[in-house]
Amino acid sequence: RNAVGVPCVHLAREEIPRRIGEAQRLLIFSGESIKSIAASCGYSNLQYFYTAFRRQSGCTPAEFKSRYL
């Protein structure tokens, strides 16, 4: 549980989609690298970012970016 008494798993269910949504927006509209975008969205571990992105989006960040560019 966090400081306000909400189980961390509930926060993760909300936070991960929000972070990945922001990453998707940055992939489409910014010229930043995938590594930079991952850090901007709060992922210090690039491998975990790729895993979370693929689970949420069904593709890698590079695949997602190539679809929209």
Side-chain angles (χ1 to χ4, degrees):
R1 292 188 180 268
N2 66 5
V4 293
V6 177
C8 293
V9 70
H10 293 297
L11 291 177
R13 287 185 189 146
E14 295 174 7
E15 188 66 16
I16 291 172
R18 186 196 63 75
R19 286 182 181 188
I20 298 302
E22 177 65 8
Q24 289 171 335
R25 186 186 69 76
L26 290 171
L27 284 166
I28 294 169
F29 297 111
S30 80
E32 294 181 55
S33 69
I34 292 172
K35 184 176 183 177
S36 175
I37 290 171
S40 296
C41 293
Y43 290 92
S44 58
N45 181 316
L46 190 58
Q47 185 61 44
Y48 183 70
F49 171 70
Y50 270 82
T51 299
F53 194 97
R54 175 167 252 167
R55 282 186 186 147
Q56 194 70 31
S57 304
C59 61
T60 67
E63 292 168 342
F64 183 87
K65 188 173 184 173
S66 70
R67 289 180 188 173
Y68 293 95
L69 295 181

